[in-house]
Amino acid sequence: MAVAETGSISRAAARLNLTQPATTRRIQNFEAAVGGAPLFNRAVKPAALTSLGTHVLERCRRVLTAVAELEASTARAADPAGRLKAGVAHGLGEMVMTAPLDALRRTFPRIRLQVSSNWSTNLLEDVCSGALDCAVGLLTEAHTVPAGLMRVTLGAEQVVIVATSRLPARHGGQPWRLRDLADKDWFLNPPGCGCRAALTKAFDRLQLPIHIAAEVFGEDLQLSLLSQSGGLGLVPRRQFEHSPHRHELRVIDVPDFTLPATVTLIRSAMPGRFDPVLELLEHELKVKLG
């Protein structure tokens, strides 16, 4: 697991406090124990998991999760220790997570945080597989939470369409419709973003094209580009309200496209050794999101 997660024998050795030769021998012994087939393709640099290696890795995660659940079922540590792997949806990190994570570090000094960012769909999969202990996602009605996971709603969010303040109002003050926006330039996240997928499906239902002028990773950069060059973007309202570019932009009302979402904590439904930490994280996030 350490080699797969760090991407190299040397970094895995550092994580495990072993020498590199000792780590290599452990990998070789493990390969022999599971039948002798290679778990890593050593012909490429860095070594990559084989298909068998991916299969074994997923089950290793389940084993360690089961061990942690067994420990938690017999004793609930008041001062848990270890590496807590948390994920956060793109666009929520700095805006939502900074203060809650600071509170975790102060309260549980023996916890070592490892925080990564991803699309909400991928975060659900990673918590389900055990690659993450928890995640904070931006979930819409299109997201399905796998069995065995618990979802805790932290706060409501609305994903809104944003335009430059220079965009003229519609004649007669009428609201915008998606049909009116088919010829506009859109600045959207790359494929994989659930909000982009929802917008594309809405255009498809109306049998309308959508003109994506640029695929720009990250809503902050999108808002910066929109403020300078015009066009349309799709961002969480909370992120728009905290943007330094909000005075050059405005939210436009499009009644035939609404995308309500919830900021949601996703974790295993089973008891675990990090339960006190996750309970504090839940509390701090609810306070933050008000």
Side-chain angles (χ1 to χ4, degrees):
M1 281 183 60
V3 175
E5 290 175 356
T6 62
S8 78
I9 292 286
S10 60
R11 286 193 290 270
R15 175 188 292 186
L16 300 171
N17 294 317
L18 296 171
T19 65
Q20 187 167 332
T23 305
T24 299
R25 284 196 300 274
R26 288 194 178 195
I27 292 293
Q28 293 168 341
N29 293 341
F30 190 47
E31 288 175 326
V34 296
L39 302 178
F40 291 91
N41 178 3
R42 294 169 173 82
V44 298
K45 297 295 182 182
L49 285 169
T50 62
S51 57
L52 175 63
T54 302
H55 175 81
V56 171
L57 176 65
E58 180 181 349
R59 278 147 184 79
C60 287
R61 285 173 172 153
R62 293 179 185 176
V63 169
L64 292 188
T65 299
V67 170
E69 290 169 354
L70 177 60
E71 292 172 345
S73 69
T74 57
R76 180 186 171 96
D79 184 22
R83 183 163 54 99
L84 175 67
K85 294 173 290 185
V88 59
H90 293 313
L92 292 182
E94 183 177 351
M95 179 178 63
V96 171
M97 297 293 287
T98 303
L101 291 180
D102 283 345
L104 256 62
R105 294 181 66 245
R106 290 194 303 271
T107 307
F108 300 102
R110 298 201 300 152
I111 289 293
R112 183 160 56 92
L113 292 171
Q114 179 180 317
V115 184
S116 58
S117 185
N118 210 329
W119 306 121
S120 293
T121 298
N122 296 338
L123 293 176
L124 289 167
E125 295 173 356
D126 287 344
V127 177
C128 187
S129 71
L132 293 175
D133 298 302
C134 68
V136 178
L138 185 63
L139 303 190
T140 69
E141 61 182 14
H143 290 100
T144 300
V145 177
L149 299 186
M150 179 170 63
R151 59 185 295 170
V152 180
T153 298
L154 303 170
E157 187 58 271
Q158 183 75 31
V159 181
V160 294
I161 296 175
V162 175
T164 174
S165 56
R166 299 186 300 275
L167 180 70
R170 291 204 65 209
H171 180 70
Q174 294 296 313
W176 292 91
R177 302 283 178 176
L178 277 184
R179 189 173 301 278
D180 306 316
L181 306 176
D183 62 341
K184 307 295 183 186
D185 290 338
W186 288 85
F187 292 77
L188 299 175
N189 279 318
C193 172
C195 297
R196 169 183 167 151
L199 180 68
T200 302
K201 287 180 181 178
F203 273 97
D204 288 345
R205 282 194 298 268
L206 296 173
Q207 298 183 328
L208 292 171
I210 179 171
H211 182 236
I212 300 176
E215 292 180 342
V216 181
F217 184 80
E219 288 85 354
D220 287 331
L221 180 54
Q222 292 169 25
L223 292 172
S224 175
L225 291 172
L226 290 175
S227 68
Q228 297 177 43
S229 59
L232 301 173
L234 191 64
V235 301
R237 181 181 286 274
R238 198 184 307 268
Q239 190 164 10
F240 167 77
E241 291 173 349
H242 286 80
S243 171
H245 307 288
R246 65 188 180 277
H247 301 299
E248 293 85 40
L249 301 168
R250 64 186 175 96
V251 173
I252 63 172
D253 183 29
V254 184
D256 59 344
F257 179 77
T258 58
L259 189 56
T262 56
V263 181
T264 306
L265 176 66
I266 306 130
R267 52 171 294 188
S268 172
M270 298 292 292
R273 62 192 174 109
F274 291 125
D275 282 357
V277 185
L278 298 183
E279 288 166 6
L280 177 61
L281 178 62
E282 175 187 335
H283 170 75
E284 292 293 327
L285 284 167
K286 285 181 175 179
V287 171
K288 174 73 175 181
L289 297 169

